[in-house]
Every structure is written in structure tokens, then in C-alpha cells.
Amino acid sequence: MSMTETMDAKPARDPGPELAEAPLHIARPKEPVTGVVTRNELCTAGRRAAGFVRHIEIDVSSTPLAGSFVPGQSFGVHAPGEDERGRPHALRLYSTASPSIGEDGKGGVIATTVKRLIDERDDGPGLFVGVTSNYLCSLQPGDEVKLSGPNGKRFVLPARPGDHDYVFFATGTGIAPFRGMVLDLIREAPESKVALVMGAPYETDLIYDDLFSKLDEEHPNFTYLPTISRHAQRDASPGCYVQDRLDRDAGTLIPLLQSDRGLIYVCGLLGMDVGIVQGLARSMPEPWLSRYLAIDPEVADDASSWTRKMIGRKVKPTRRVFLEVY
Ligand code: A2P
């Protein structure tokens, strides 16, 4: 057999979908632009949520950032002031939560979803308060904020969104990009099937729950599966993680992925990526599983022993799987 024949015999790697064009670095971190906060409100399901998560809208209509974000991208926030060593606070990136048309329908107002970081330091009981998250969460309508971006071009929707169906998995504020993506898909790809699995510790901590519940009622192609980890679900079934939906709601999620149209997006806590690939291996039959994961035969028999280190090495998500964990 000639060399050419050998190479031809190797199955070509699925290139995955062509992605939407995502403009980058219109405002550089050294020359941030000034946006103005127009709205800042709690966006958890209950006032007694365990954490404080706020939906913050910023008017960028008079800056070069207007109309330049697509869902899945982020922007840099420059908190004023200096750290204890006298240096300006480090830039922090926040995901846009808006659809491509922004909150105002014209791309002039972008939103993000921010959780106040409140913690104790490892070395003692002193309170640690995240600088930028608390700065953002305390801004009032009318306040100015310095922004840069857009950042990121890999975790975005495909260029032809209507060619695909989608399963989105989010934990906590990992929901931000999916708010924008779901709103874009409902408007631009009404035939696509979309399922959103959102994980929170308690029902009170679900984020944008009213919006997604309403979209679920109004759009037969959109399914919202809120998933509570620390108490029973709304249907009284026991608490679980988002990946457990792949077993429990296999009837909804798996058929949506058993086609050449299926794409999976995962955003949230580090560790949920392991759970998702294990869940897929448990629930998805071949030949579909290999459309999403290239699994080394050495480890194929025991998904329960997979670790984070193996992701990208022994268990490689294909280009139909988009992971953003932090
Ligand atoms: P739990 O904290 O009960 O273990 P938040 O960011 O608002 O705290 O929510 C994160 C959600 O993700 C919680 O329900 C949390 O559950 C859950 N979670 C924690 N670790 C994982 C993991 N490895 N895979 C999936 N979900 C997770």
C-alpha cells in the first residue's frame, strides 16, 4: 500500500462547525472605554439565595464597543484604585450575558452576570472580598465603568446556527453566555432544538429562572431543566448535578444529540467537565458517542475512573463540544 493510500484510509477529523465571527480587542486594556451602568439587579430566583448574583447592564452605545459582542465573548473590567502593593487592580474578564443585539435591540447595551465573591482566607478567619466582583455589584445606574474587549472567539455559536441543535450545561454564573445564546437562537434559528440544563445548590439560587421558564413555556423547541444539587427537584426527584440529567432526562437530551446537528456547550465550575464527559460515556450509545468524545481504548471501559488530567489526553472532546470551566 502506498503512503498516500495509508493516509487516505485514516478517517478525517471532524472539523466541527464553522464558528460565528467574533470581533476581538476593539478596546485594548491600556485604552479602555467608558460605559455607563443602566441597570443593576439581583437575578437569583429568591431573595434568600445563598449567594448574591446580579444582572448588570452597561451602556456602551457611544463607544467603539457598540454592536461588537456576540454571546460567549467577554469584556475586561478595570476596577479603580490600587492593590496593597500600589499597583492598579488587575483586569478581570466577565462574560457578556446579552444576545448579539444587546439589551436594547441595537447592541448599545451589554449585560453581565456577577456573583459577589465573599470568602475567608486559607490562612485564617479574615474576610476576603473579591475586588472587581464587589465593585461591579455595587455600581448604581449612572455610574461610569472602564471596559476593554471583546475577548474570546472559541466559545461562540456556529456561523450557521440553524444547522444545529444544542445542549447547554451551566453551573452558577456559567449561565451568562447561555442567556445570550438562547435568546439569539430563539430569534435567529427558531427551528433548532435547544435544551438548557442549569445547576444551582438551592432553588433560590437559580439564575434568570423567570426568563428561562417563560421561554420554555412559549417555545416548544426550547427545554429548560433547572437542576438543584442540595434538595429535591421541582418534580420531587432527588437532588443531583447537571451531568446526571444525561441519565435522568436521557429521553429529552440524548435524541437531540443523536444526529449530525448536535452540539454541546459546558460553562461553569471546574470539575463539571469531568462529570459531563462521564455522563456522556454512560448515556450515549455509539456511533454517536464518538462524535463528541475520542476515547483512548485503554480507559474506555471505566469512565468512573476518569480524572480532569485525562481530558484532552485520553478523553478528547471533539469540536462539537465546547468547554469553558474555571
Ligand atoms: P454543590 O455546591 O451542592 O456541590 P454556585 O456556583 O451557585 O454555587 O452553583 C454551582 C452548582 O454546581 C452547585 O449546585 C454545585 O453543587 C454544583 N457543582 C459543584 N461541583 C460540581 C461538579 N463537579 N459537577 C457538576 N456540578 C457541580
Side-chain angles (χ1 to χ4, degrees), residues 115 171-173 199-201 205 229-230 241-243 269-272:
K115 182 174 189 174
T171 50
T173 52
D205 294 80
S229 56
R230 300 192 192 172
Y241 279 169
V242 285
Q243 56 266 31
L269 291 180
L270 201 68
M272 71 181 290

Side-chain angles (χ1 to χ4, degrees), residues 149-272:
N151 297 74
K153 60 176 184 174
R154 295 212 169 79
F155 194 82
V156 297
L157 288 174
R160 288 177 300 283
D163 289 358
H164 298 278
D165 297 317
Y166 304 82
V167 178
F168 297 129
F169 293 96
T171 50
T173 52
I175 196 68
F178 300 143
R179 177 179 179 272
M181 289 184 185
V182 167
L183 291 170
D184 266 10
L185 290 172
I186 282 175
R187 205 170 45 86
E188 293 168 18
E191 306 297 320
S192 292
K193 295 193 192 90
V194 180
L196 170 67
V197 187
M198 151 98 226
Y202 304 98
E203 181 145 0
T204 46
D205 294 80
L206 289 168
I207 301 171
Y208 302 127
D209 183 55
D210 286 350
L211 169 74
F212 293 125
S213 302
K214 186 161 165 273
L215 293 175
D216 178 293
E217 269 170 37
E218 290 172 354
H219 299 273
N221 284 354
F222 175 64
T223 305
Y224 170 50
L225 293 170
T227 302
I228 309 301
S229 56
R230 300 192 192 172
H231 61 70
Q233 311 298 331
R234 285 173 180 167
D235 66 3
S237 60
C240 69
Y241 279 169
V242 285
Q243 56 266 31
D244 300 319
R245 291 281 181 203
L246 285 162
D247 301 308
R248 288 198 194 178
D249 292 83
T252 305
L253 300 180
I254 300 297
L256 210 149
L257 295 170
Q258 283 177 329
S259 106
D260 286 325
R261 293 171 53 87
L263 298 177
I264 299 172
Y265 287 70
V266 178
C267 187
L269 291 180
L270 201 68
M272 71 181 290

